[in-house]
Amino acid sequence: MKILVVGAGMYVTGRGGYGNGTVLSALAQTSKNISIAEVVVVARSTDNKRIIATTLQQINDMLNTNLKIKYLQIEGAHIGEELQAICTGEKGEKFDCAIVSTPDHLHFEPIKVLIKNQISTLVVKPLVPSLSEAKELINLQEQYGVYGVVEFHKRYDEGNLYVKKNT
């Protein structure tokens, strides 16, 4: 299985927070039971390649795994165009699925490209900031017959459970 991860921030690598993030950790843990040939992380910053390598080494050491990651830097202003080139194989890539973990207001364009390339996609919540964008993505998902889901990672955080219980 080859997985595309769009974004390299807090949820992917733990950057700006504590720990190693959830996305790479979950993929490494999953690789114990499912063959993951490669994870390709696509993001903008030149620092991400080093951060990802360091984080991945820590995760692999901690979990006794051997997850492999390739980093592709998107340099242009339009993530959709570069992601399209990656997804159509112009850069030699073919993916079984994708995870989108960019800032919320940047979800729409990559998800749209992934759906149109028939790549099943998981997006770290929220789906998109507007109802019109959500409706467009749902229509595209149905049109292309692609599996798409939103991951709600904060659902069981202790603080959120406390607030829910006491309001």
Side-chain angles (χ1 to χ4, degrees):
M1 177 178 285
K2 190 166 183 177
I3 302 169
L4 174 65
V5 176
V6 181
M10 180 186 297
Y11 298 121
V12 176
T13 63
R15 189 179 70 215
Y18 60 90
N20 292 318
T22 57
V23 174
L24 296 184
S25 298
L27 291 173
Q29 182 66 37
T30 300
S31 73
K32 289 182 171 185
N33 300 314
I34 296 173
S35 177
I36 298 177
E38 185 176 46
V39 175
V40 175
V41 178
V42 176
R44 292 182 189 268
S45 172
T46 55
D47 293 335
N48 286 329
K49 187 173 185 174
R50 176 189 49 78
I51 292 168
I52 289 166
T54 301
T55 302
L56 182 63
Q57 187 60 56
Q58 291 170 353
I59 292 168
N60 279 334
D61 290 347
M62 182 173 38
L63 297 176
N64 195 29
T65 53
N66 192 28
L67 186 67
K68 304 273 190 249
I69 291 185
K70 177 179 174 183
Y71 179 68
L72 295 177
Q73 183 177 349
I74 291 181
E75 298 175 7
H78 302 288
I79 187 172
E81 293 171 11
E82 291 193 54
L83 194 55
Q84 177 64 29
I86 292 167
C87 291
T88 57
E90 293 174 33
K91 294 191 176 186
E93 307 295 339
K94 176 76 175 143
F95 301 98
D96 298 295
C97 60
I99 299 169
V100 175
S101 183
T102 59
D104 301 348
H105 68 285
L106 299 176
H107 285 179
F108 179 73
E109 197 172 354
I111 295 169
K112 185 176 177 179
V113 169
L114 293 166
I115 290 171
K116 285 185 171 185
N117 283 281
Q118 296 182 308
I119 299 171
S120 294
T121 302
L122 177 142
V123 60
V124 174
K125 64 105 184 138
L127 176 59
V128 286
S130 77
L131 181 59
S132 63
E133 288 176 337
K135 286 181 177 180
E136 183 176 342
L137 292 176
I138 290 167
N139 288 336
L140 285 171
Q141 178 187 353
E142 291 171 357
Q143 177 184 343
Y144 286 89
V146 175
Y147 186 69
V149 293
V150 179
E151 177 265 350
F152 293 93
H153 62 275
K154 295 296 210 180
R155 180 181 315 179
Y156 297 109
D157 281 8
E158 189 175 326
N160 289 339
L161 293 173
Y162 176 82
V163 169
K164 184 177 180 181
K165 179 181 173 186
N166 294 295
T167 55

mmCIF file of all heavy atoms in Angstrom, residues 6 33 41 56 98 105 145 147 157:
data_model
loop_
_atom_site.group_PDB
_atom_site.id
_atom_site.type_symbol
_atom_site.label_atom_id
_atom_site.label_comp_id
_atom_site.label_asym_id
_atom_site.label_seq_id
_atom_site.Cartn_x
_atom_site.Cartn_y
_atom_site.Cartn_z
ATOM 1 N N VAL A 6 -0.913 14.768 2.909
ATOM 2 C CA VAL A 6 -0.810 16.162 2.501
ATOM 3 C C VAL A 6 -0.757 17.002 3.774
ATOM 4 O O VAL A 6 -1.722 17.076 4.526
ATOM 5 C CB VAL A 6 -1.996 16.592 1.615
ATOM 6 C CG1 VAL A 6 -1.839 18.049 1.186
ATOM 7 C CG2 VAL A 6 -2.119 15.674 0.400
ATOM 8 N N ASN A 33 0.702 -4.547 10.922
ATOM 9 C CA ASN A 33 -0.310 -5.520 10.502
ATOM 10 C C ASN A 33 -0.663 -5.452 9.027
ATOM 11 O O ASN A 33 -1.214 -6.386 8.483
ATOM 12 C CB ASN A 33 -1.585 -5.329 11.324
ATOM 13 C CG ASN A 33 -1.338 -5.507 12.797
ATOM 14 O OD1 ASN A 33 -0.680 -6.449 13.206
ATOM 15 N ND2 ASN A 33 -1.834 -4.591 13.603
ATOM 16 N N VAL A 41 4.915 12.157 1.979
ATOM 17 C CA VAL A 41 4.403 13.354 2.631
ATOM 18 C C VAL A 41 4.678 14.537 1.715
ATOM 19 O O VAL A 41 5.808 14.748 1.280
ATOM 20 C CB VAL A 41 5.055 13.580 4.011
ATOM 21 C CG1 VAL A 41 4.533 14.864 4.645
ATOM 22 C CG2 VAL A 41 4.795 12.390 4.934
ATOM 23 N N LEU A 56 10.076 10.487 12.354
ATOM 24 C CA LEU A 56 9.902 9.099 11.930
ATOM 25 C C LEU A 56 10.888 8.177 12.629
ATOM 26 O O LEU A 56 10.522 7.075 13.048
ATOM 27 C CB LEU A 56 10.031 8.976 10.415
ATOM 28 C CG LEU A 56 9.812 7.570 9.881
ATOM 29 C CD1 LEU A 56 8.389 7.093 10.166
ATOM 30 C CD2 LEU A 56 10.109 7.524 8.402
ATOM 31 N N ALA A 98 -5.171 8.566 0.697
ATOM 32 C CA ALA A 98 -4.520 9.800 1.132
ATOM 33 C C ALA A 98 -5.095 10.271 2.459
ATOM 34 O O ALA A 98 -6.239 9.964 2.808
ATOM 35 C CB ALA A 98 -4.689 10.885 0.078
ATOM 36 N N HIS A 105 -8.591 25.832 6.488
ATOM 37 C CA HIS A 105 -9.004 26.629 5.327
ATOM 38 C C HIS A 105 -8.313 26.186 4.029
ATOM 39 O O HIS A 105 -8.668 26.648 2.951
ATOM 40 C CB HIS A 105 -8.749 28.122 5.586
ATOM 41 C CG HIS A 105 -7.308 28.496 5.662
ATOM 42 N ND1 HIS A 105 -6.520 28.204 6.760
ATOM 43 C CD2 HIS A 105 -6.502 29.112 4.763
ATOM 44 C CE1 HIS A 105 -5.283 28.637 6.535
ATOM 45 N NE2 HIS A 105 -5.251 29.197 5.343
ATOM 46 N N GLY A 145 -17.198 7.902 -7.201
ATOM 47 C CA GLY A 145 -17.271 6.630 -6.489
ATOM 48 C C GLY A 145 -16.095 6.383 -5.570
ATOM 49 O O GLY A 145 -15.575 5.268 -5.495
ATOM 50 N N TYR A 147 -14.204 6.678 -1.747
ATOM 51 C CA TYR A 147 -14.452 6.668 -0.311
ATOM 52 C C TYR A 147 -13.794 7.895 0.310
ATOM 53 O O TYR A 147 -12.604 8.149 0.092
ATOM 54 C CB TYR A 147 -13.877 5.389 0.297
ATOM 55 C CG TYR A 147 -14.190 5.190 1.754
ATOM 56 C CD1 TYR A 147 -15.487 4.913 2.178
ATOM 57 C CD2 TYR A 147 -13.196 5.289 2.712
ATOM 58 C CE1 TYR A 147 -15.779 4.724 3.513
ATOM 59 C CE2 TYR A 147 -13.481 5.097 4.053
ATOM 60 C CZ TYR A 147 -14.767 4.825 4.444
ATOM 61 O OH TYR A 147 -15.060 4.645 5.766
ATOM 62 N N ASP A 157 -10.724 13.171 23.705
ATOM 63 C CA ASP A 157 -9.755 13.869 24.544
ATOM 64 C C ASP A 157 -10.390 14.164 25.904
ATOM 65 O O ASP A 157 -11.559 14.544 25.993
ATOM 66 C CB ASP A 157 -9.323 15.193 23.911
ATOM 67 C CG ASP A 157 -8.289 14.998 22.822
ATOM 68 O OD1 ASP A 157 -8.015 13.845 22.458
ATOM 69 O OD2 ASP A 157 -7.761 16.019 22.339
#
